[in-house]
Amino acid sequence: AVAFVDRVLGRRRSLRHVIAWGGRQRMRHPTVRGLLESASPESLLSREDLAGLSMPVWLSWGRRDGVLPREHLDFFRENLPAHAVVHEPDNHGHSPYLEDARGVGRAIVDFLAEVDRARLTPGSR
C-alpha cells in the first residue's frame, strides 16, 4: 500500500504510511470493490467517444504519474478533440488535485475563464 501511495503521489511524502492505511480502508469498501470488479474494457471510453466530445475538455495528467503508463496519456492526446486542453503539472503524480489542490484549482479557474472569453468572442464556437 505504501509503494502504491508513492506511485500515486509521484514521490515519497511524510504521511505516506497514514495515507496508505486510509487507502487500504477505502479499497475495502463494498462500493469501491464493486466498481473495481465491474470494470472491463467495454466500460472504457473509445476513440469515438473521445473524438465526439463537443464541450470544453480539460485533462490533468501529472508528469510523475506512476500508476498509469504514459501510453494512456498518448491515447488521450491522439483521440481527444483539437479543442481539448491537456494540463501536465510538473512534480505531480497520478492525482495532482490531491498534491496541489490550490494550484490545480487555479488552473481550472484559468481554463474556465478562457472558455468563457472564447464563448463571448464573436466568431468563436
Side-chain angles (χ1 to χ4, degrees):
V2 173
F4 181 73
V5 166
D6 291 342
R7 289 197 330 257
V8 167
L9 299 179
R11 62 179 177 250
R12 291 180 173 215
R13 301 289 180 131
S14 59
L15 296 175
R16 60 202 277 260
H17 291 279
V18 174
I19 296 168
W21 179 84
R24 288 183 66 158
Q25 300 307 309
R26 177 65 72 191
M27 294 301 283
R28 291 183 180 135
H29 192 279
T31 302
V32 174
R33 298 295 322 150
L35 175 66
L36 293 173
E37 290 167 5
S38 69
S40 69
E42 294 77 31
S43 63
L44 300 175
L45 292 169
S46 70
R47 295 175 190 278
E48 296 77 21
D49 292 332
L50 292 174
L53 296 174
S54 60
M55 76 289 285
V57 176
W58 187 80
L59 172 67
S60 185
W61 195 288
R63 290 185 189 260
R64 291 188 178 195
D65 188 333
V67 177
L68 297 176
R70 188 77 179 173
E71 294 81 18
H72 289 202
L73 176 57
D74 296 340
F75 173 80
F76 283 103
R77 283 191 181 284
E78 292 167 11
N79 295 290
L80 281 169
H83 65 268
V85 173
V86 178
H87 175 248
E88 290 185 79
D90 292 324
N91 300 317
H92 291 148
H94 184 71
S95 304
Y97 59 92
L98 294 176
E99 300 165 62
D100 182 18
R102 286 188 180 159
V104 172
R106 280 190 300 274
I108 292 170
V109 168
D110 292 345
F111 170 73
L112 293 174
E114 183 60 36
V115 167
D116 197 41
R117 277 191 296 279
R119 186 175 58 88
L120 297 173
T121 303
S124 66
R125 308 201 251 178

